[in-house]
Structure formats: structure tokens, C-alpha cells
Amino acid sequence: MLLERDEVLGTASAAAAAARTGSGRWVLLSAPVSGMGRTAALEAIVRQQADGDAVRVGRARGVPEETAFPFGLVRQLFADDEAVPFSVAAGADEQRLFHGLVTRLTRSAAERPVLLAVDDLHHADEPSRRWLGYLARRIAEIPVLLVLTERADPSGPAPFPPATGTAVALPALSVPAVIRLARDAGLDQGSTVACVEAGIGNPALVRALVADFADGALPRPSASPSRSRFRDTIARWLGRADPCVRHACLALAVAAEGGMPVGPGLLHQLSDLCTATRSPGERSARRISRLLDHPLAREAVLAVAAPEEIAALHTRVAELLDESGAPATAVASRLLRVERPGEAWMARSLSEAAEEAMRAGHVAESAAYLRHALSGPLDPDRRAALTMRLGALELPHNATAGIRRLRTGLELHTDLRDRATAATALCAAHVARRDPDTALEVLRRAGRGADDNELVQVLGTLGALVSSHDNDAWRGAVAGLRALAPTAPPAIEPLVCGLITEYEAGAGLCSAAEVLDRVRPRLAAPVDPRLRTAWLGSAATLLQWADRLDEARELTGQCLPAPPVPPDLTDVGLQCLLSVRAEAALWAGEFDRVIAENAPLVEATAGQGVRLPHLAAMVATARRETGRRSAAWEAVALVGPSGSDSSWEWNELSYTRALLHAADGDWQAALDDYLVCGAGQLAHDFVSPVATPWRSGAALALVRLGRRDEARELAEEELRHARTWGTPRTVGRALRAYAAAVGGRLALCSLTEGAELLRPAAAPVELAEVLIDLGRAHIEAGSGRKGRDTLREAHAVALRLAGPAPETGGPAPVGRLLGAAEEALREGGVRNRDGGHALSPAERRVAELAAAGHTNAQISSALCLTRRTVETHLTNAYRKLRIARRTQLVAALDR
């Protein structure tokens, strides 16, 4: 079936009619590329005109192998004429020969019109082309139809005189025509689209694709099998193409794989890899690049090339990209196709690409670039540095592989200072693996090999920080720090002071105010660069404990990368800062942020050898606060058992486990885990409730179990330590536990004190808990109105912590505190009836915040809504509650 060739056949019919009357014509069918159906159209014309022996047909076809033989094509037309020479005739001899051949053709045509069908004129020998031109200039006088095909640009000049014939350009198949072919073959929509896009209207390609899809050779439009008609068609074309065209196709296919702009300029730059002396023109380059827009075509072209050809092209393209200042990842993606990056610029590009990929959060891609860089020749120092970087990337996903890589990097370093830096990274990796003993041994070995006293002190101070993960080693480390403190170099002294202060704060030997007096002045002091993150981690920890959350988070922001860039776990100081960032966000009530920033890392490292108990505890606690207790238990389970590891991080996890048991109502299990946490903290000389208020939790559990005397004893001890520390959060939290243990008027006084302390503090979780207990205590004491007002205040605080409603407009998941506040309101007799019941969840949240005295701007900020949305919700609430003023909200909501 010959589609969309009616115009071609019509032109040929008109020319044939003229030839039969004695006025011969020539018709040239041309197309710029193979597969456009030139031969098929020529055969259709021959069949149409030769029907019934109306004309005598002579055939000839140009072939590349005979291009060098003079008159080879003419000899096909005059096979029986011995006058056709086998050599080039010059001058008058050629004219005599040409005239004689035309005369013989004229005599033959006088008997019966002649149709000369010449296929692939572009492969004809030059003397034959000259004779065909000679004939075309005289054809109008004889009954001959000359039909030729040529692969040539139709926009170029016609090779024959236009007065005696017509050049016809064969157009590409239209989209409707391709769709018709595909539907006739029963193809689905996806395969039909692939035929349209990959076939680019080329009849040969379209029919090959249709046949492949119909036979199942191409099961998916995006896949290309090892064998197919489509691939064989392109391979056949490239096999017959001259080296220039073949090289251009390969070059453009390689370039197009990475989205590189293609054109004559690129082909010229890649021409040094081709033995051909010329390159395709701009129009040819555009045609080739259009074909190679589709991945099926690119795969087919690249399949015919030898691997070394493709590698050479990728190398050259990478070099061009590098010289033009392209992004390193664009260069490196090409170099990944090269077996070994053998030149210095390649290793540099791969290293820079690894950094770019890391900044984008693409860890696997970054690691791939570094591995490839390491496969080539590098000087020892460069190899050592790249090996350390790769080890840091591999660590979270495979602790064993990461540590081996870091150990190799350490061994590659020859400079003592570089070896010490590498040792600190390997040490941190062992800490992340929960192996502090090996971590300390790594630092001790590095210190023994150093002849620099300051370097030894740096390593020793870092060792003290690592010792905080081991109960016994921690005490000895603190003793060593106290001995070092009076003579510590100024660049080391801040961290020495910070670690000593951490111990004393935990041991209940100093207050928050004293801690601030020590830390703040030292933040401006110069610190050894090798200790910077460790010092900031210690300082941020102390600032967080002192309830200076904004200051603590500012320090974490100086060192920790913003998502999606993963943190470097080969820096023990960054490990500390990660913990501070997570816990500070938790204390601020930013539960979704805790989960978003930390859950991916906790989940990625699970089962890979790196265990992060503290971060898992923070994620689990945040999920508990947002009402997702099953997900919270999953986070706790990810890190597995502690084994022999006595790090303080496991105490945090025990405390979180206790919180989850309490949320499940299993008070005995909660008590057991609180006591496990307490035993771990006491073994660490940590008696302060600043980090894990386990006594308060245990006291609340004991009250639930009916053991008030034991509860009161623990609560009193907790309150004593809390007052020593002196922050509103710790004191308010301890007062709540004490109130639960003692009950009665004393409880009311304690809760009132706690609420007064917490209202101006940045402790929304503790404030909501105390307000709920205080509201209930007021109601039990007979002060119903005061109790309900307090519960409404608690509800407003809980609403702020609950976050905005989802975009669907439905209610957000009910968090722990919001659920507790609503339950207390119901128990206190504050119910939604009449008009209030008709409020949507979003309207009710806005109305309750407004009733609690918050402005529209504050409500907008708290719920992440626009001011206009807040105003709309309030207007709807007024209408439904049948009120006119903001001051009427409290009474209306209480009805």
C-alpha cells in the first residue's frame, strides 16, 4: 500500500501521456534520506505505465560498488550495445558516443514509447550522469519517459533542465497516515504514538516499527530489543552510509543521550574522531538530529557502533563540555561511559560532579562519580582524599563498606596531620556504628604517631567527646579534661570547657544561668578548625538544655546542611549537632519538622550497621505527639537492641519507649522503661532532668498504678534537681509530676506555679500538659469557670501545635495534646451544641483561637493560613453561631 503518493503518480502519468505523443519528459523523485519510498514510487510508476505493454521499459540502478566504473549505469540500459565503452571518452569522442546512444534510443522509441527507470542516481558513475543530462536536454523531441530517483536535498538545484521535466520531492508521511498504518495493524495507543514519534514520517521506519510492535518485538515504546526490523533498518542504512554520515549519526546519538545541543558546530568539534574529510551540512545535521530525538532511534544507532567508538565520543563530548564551562555533572555523566578516566581533568570533573550531586541530595549518584574517579590513575594524596569522601557517603547505607573505605583512606595518607584528620573521620564512623571502644582506639593510635603536642591535645579532646558514649570512659575523660583545662591552648579551651560543663550540668553541679555565663563568651573565641563542629555541638547542647532554643538552632544551622543534602556522619561534632537540631525542634513543638528532617536518615540507616538511637527517639516522640503511635513504635524498632553499648543515646530511647507505653495505657511497662532510662543516666552521672525527666515520668506511672508514696519520693527528688537547673521547662515539668503525686490543694498550687512559669517560656508541650491538669484541678476544687477557661487556653495551645489542616479541607490527625485537651473539655462540661456543632473543623480551630484572645495575624501564622482565609472562617463562624462580635465567641462556643 503506497500512502500519500497520489501527487507523485499523477505527475508521472502526465509526463507519460506527453511522452506517448512524442514529447518526452523526465521526472526526478528525490528525498534527502533513505527510506522515503523512492524505489517503491518508481516501481509503482513502472507498473502503472507498463500495463498492457504500452511502453518498453529499460531499468538501471546505481550502486556504490560501481560508481568508479565509467558508463556502468548506461551499460545497464544498453546491455546489448557493444558500442558503450568501458573507459572515459573525452571531448568530441564523448559527444559522438552520447549522440549515438540517443539516436539508438530514438529509433527504439519510434517503434514503441520507452520508459527508462533509473534508481539511486546518487550512486551513478559520472559519465552516466552526464549522458542522462544530455538525454534530458533532448528528450522533448522523442517519445521517452525518463523517471529517476535520487537521495538529495529537494531544495537544491535540479540536475536537469526544468523545461523538459519535473523534480518531485517525496514528503514524509503525515501523522494521520502513520496512525492509519498502526491501527490497521491493531496497535494500541502507546505503540501508535511511538510509531509517530520514532518513525518521523519515514515510510521505511514507520513500517518497520509497525511490524515490530505487531509481532511483539517492541513490547514497550521505550524499549529497544537486541534485534528488530527497526534496528536492522537503521543498521543497514548506516552500513551503506559514507564514513562522514555514519560518524555524524553516532556523534549526534551520543550527544543527544545527555540532552546536549546538536548541530553542525558540534559535528565539526567531533570531526577529529572521524577519518572522513568532511562533515554534513547544517540541514543534514538537523535531519539526523530530528531522527535521533527518540530513544528508540538513538539506541538503534548506538547498537551498530563498537564500544570503543562510543567511549571515544563520550570522552570527546565530555572534554567539550568541560571546556565550555558546563556543570560538572553534565561532564561526569559522559565520563561514566568511559572505562577508565585516564586524565587529570577527568578525575577533577568527577570529583566536582560528586559535590554537585551531593548538594542536590543525590547520594548514590555522587558515590558513583567518586568510584569512577578512583578507577583511574591518581596521585596518592588525591586518591586518599577521594577515598575518604566516598567512605563518608557509603557509611549510612553500608557501615561495613564505609568503614573499610575510610580505613583505606587513612592508610593512603602519608602526612601525619592528614592521617590525624582521617583518623577522626574513621573514629566518628565507629561511633555511628555504636562502637566507641574502637573509635577511641583509632584516636589513640593517631595520637601515638604524632610528634605535635597540640595535635595530640586536639585528638585527646575529641576522644573525650567520644567517651561521652561510654559510662566508664566518660568519667576518666572528664578527669583528664579538668587536668588539661588550666593549660589548654586557647584554640582548644572552649571545647574542654564545654565538655566539662556538659558533665557538671548533667550531674546537677551547676545551673542554666551558670552554663550560659560559660558558653556565650566562648562562642566568639577562635577555635581550632579541627574542633569547630565538636565545640559548636557541645555549645548547642548546653544552650538547648538552657532553653535557648533559637541560639542552639542557629549553631546547628552554621554546620548542618539543609535538606536534601545528607549530614556527614564521619564528623562526630555534626552527629552532636544533628541530635541538638532534632531535640530543639521537638521541644519547640515542631513535630512535623522533626519527622521530615530525621526520619529519612533513620530509615535509610536501619539494618545497614549505622544506628542512631537518639534521632530514632526524636522521630518516635514526634510521631506520638501527632497521634501516630504505630509509626512511633516502628521508629523505635528500627535501631534494634542496645547490646553492650552504654551510650546516653540508649537512655533517650528507653525514655521514648516509656512515653509510648504510657500513651498505650500500659503503665507498668512505662514505669519499667522509665527506670531503665534512670539507671542508664545515673550510671552516666546524669541526675539532672534537663534531658530525660525519667523521674517525672516514673512518678506519673506510679500514680496510675496506685503507688503514690513512691511517686511522691521521685517527684520531690526531680523537683529539687529541676530547681537547681532553674529553667521554666524543667521546673514546670517537675511541678506537674509533683502535683500528680500529692494531689489536693498542694497540687493546685504546684500546677498554678508551673503554668505561670511556662506561659512566657518557649515550652508549648509542657505548658499544654500543665494547663490541662490545672484546668481539671480547678474543676475538682469547685472552680468550674476558672477550670474551663484554663482548659480552653490549653486547647488553644494544643491547636497551635496541631499544625494546619490538610489541603483537602478535612481535619488534621488529632495529636496527643489536642485529643487530651478536647477530652478534658468534654469532662469539664464544655460541649459543642446548637450552632457550634455546625462549624467545620477549620472554622472551629480559628474560632477557638480567636476566643482565646489571639489576633487574626497570630491565627494566620499559627495555622499557616492567609489572613483572608482566617477572616472568611470567622465570618462563617459568626453566622453559624448567630453572633456579631468577637467578644461573644467564648460564650457561643461554650453553649
Side-chain angles (χ1 to χ4, degrees), residues 842-863:
E843 291 165 352
R844 180 153 195 86
R845 286 186 177 188
V846 171
E848 288 184 332
L849 288 172
H854 298 283
T855 65
N856 287 4
Q858 291 170 329
I859 297 170
S860 172
S861 176
L863 299 183

Side-chain angles (χ1 to χ4, degrees), residues 557-580:
Q558 291 181 22
C559 301
L560 289 177
V565 182
D568 182 2
L569 296 181
T570 63
D571 187 322
V572 71
L574 290 184
Q575 292 182 24
C576 296
L577 289 165
L578 272 177
S579 293
V580 173

Side-chain angles (χ1 to χ4, degrees), residues 786-797:
K786 184 179 290 187
R788 287 190 290 274
D789 288 344
T790 303
L791 290 176
R792 290 191 190 95
E793 182 185 358
H795 190 265
V797 174

